[in-house]
Amino acid sequence: MKDIIVTLKPSMTISKFIFFGTLTSIPILLFLCTRSSSSSSALISTTTSNSYSDLKIRPGYATYDSYIKKQLNKTLNPTLRKIWTTRDWDRKIQVFSKFFAELKTRKLVSDSSKVLCIGARMGQEVEALKRVGVQDSIGIDLVPYPPLVVKGDFHNQPFDDHIFDLEFSNVFDHALFPEKFVSEIERTLKPSGVCVLHVALSRRADKYSANDLYSVEPLKKLFKRSELLHTRTVDGFGLDTEVVFRKKR
């Protein structure tokens, strides 16, 4: 029995060492996991702002689902939807029609163009395009409004590559991931296709915006496969600057 006891003591000592070593390592592992989780949550609010000093992602979106939920709070608001389809309907179509007629004059869009309106809500800009002769036009938004607007997320457009001659958007400020927003435009534009953005530089956008843009410089960096054609001042429902890019061949 003595021999057996002597043989077991080293084994028991090793077991105790492993047991207590495991216990002391658990808090360290938990700490590291917590730091990793916190870094992932913060990624949404810091990635773009670190890359582009004049483009700031607004904080407060812990997950992509929380971002989508906030956007839908505006899009599905019954009071706003009633305004968009009644009081604002003709007024916005008139303003958009003027914008698109000017694009036709500058040969940036024609009656035969295939056009996408990004973040089109009820589709006033789509209707305006059709009224100026560009019949092959469609909009995308999180909530569809047939026949003018189909369901789609502008971070992941539901279209094949090289489809559109022109893409228009006045909702860049709602993009949580501006790089993805732009890369999807460049993916679905045809070579030599045109993108027209209306953005706010002199004032901050509404409470549903996901980013704040302070100059056109970040846009010039984001459009990696396109060249800047022009910028000009506009008066577009609180947006003050038109920025136009052409995709390289």
Side-chain angles (χ1 to χ4, degrees), residues 15-30:
S15 299
K16 288 180 179 179
F17 176 80
I18 294 173
F19 175 75
F20 286 111
T22 301
L23 282 179
T24 56
S25 66
I26 288 175
I28 297 173
L29 290 172
L30 289 173

Side-chain angles (χ1 to χ4, degrees), residues 46-248:
T46 61
T47 302
T48 300
S49 60
N50 287 340
S51 301
Y52 306 102
S53 59
D54 282 348
L55 177 59
K56 305 294 184 182
I57 302 301
R58 294 186 180 183
Y61 298 108
T63 66
Y64 192 68
D65 285 343
S66 66
Y67 156 77
I68 292 293
K69 182 178 180 180
K70 184 168 184 177
Q71 297 304 308
L72 288 174
N73 284 342
K74 180 176 185 178
T75 305
L76 292 174
N77 184 302
T79 301
L80 289 176
R81 291 183 77 82
K82 183 177 181 180
I83 292 173
W84 295 334
T85 54
T86 54
R87 187 186 73 192
D88 278 2
W89 183 257
D90 287 330
R91 180 176 67 91
K92 287 193 173 183
I93 289 175
Q94 290 174 8
V95 174
F96 283 130
S97 295
K98 181 180 178 181
F99 285 142
F100 295 135
E102 291 171 351
L103 292 180
K104 289 184 72 175
T105 300
R106 300 203 302 271
K107 308 298 184 184
L108 296 177
V109 66
S110 69
D111 289 352
S112 61
S113 296
K114 187 177 183 67
V115 180
L116 174 67
C117 296
I118 301 167
R121 290 184 187 155
M122 318 306 288
Q124 292 101 325
E125 52 264 74
V126 180
E127 178 63 25
L129 280 160
K130 293 180 182 294
R131 291 190 186 186
V132 300
V134 188
Q135 296 300 319
D136 194 0
S137 303
I138 193 68
I140 60 168
D141 205 288
L142 292 173
V143 178
Y145 192 73
L148 299 175
V149 181
V150 299
K151 185 176 181 179
D153 183 343
F154 52 52
H155 291 114
N156 186 23
Q157 290 188 21
F159 306 108
D160 293 333
D161 299 352
H162 316 308
I163 295 295
F164 299 102
D165 299 293
L166 180 125
E167 299 192 27
F168 170 80
S169 183
N170 59 3
V171 297
F172 176 81
D173 59 296
H174 288 266
L176 183 61
F177 300 108
E179 296 98 333
K180 187 63 175 171
F181 179 92
V182 172
S183 67
E184 282 295 276
I185 291 173
E186 293 190 314
R187 178 183 67 80
T188 56
L189 270 179
K190 295 178 181 177
S192 298
V194 172
C195 174
V196 178
L197 298 180
H198 285 182
V199 297
L201 299 182
S202 64
R203 53 167 288 185
R204 295 308 96 219
D206 65 32
K207 66 180 181 179
Y208 295 97
S209 298
N211 71 70
D212 291 299
L213 182 67
Y214 297 91
S215 78
V216 299
E217 292 305 312
L219 295 176
K220 291 161 65 175
K221 294 177 181 178
L222 287 167
F223 278 86
K224 296 179 173 62
R225 301 162 59 190
S226 306
E227 59 181 348
L228 177 66
L229 293 185
H230 77 257
T231 64
R232 65 167 183 152
T233 300
V234 295
D235 182 10
F237 311 111
L239 306 177
D240 54 42
T241 304
E242 179 178 273
V243 189
V244 181
F245 291 90
R246 187 187 299 278
K247 183 178 174 180
K248 298 174 182 176

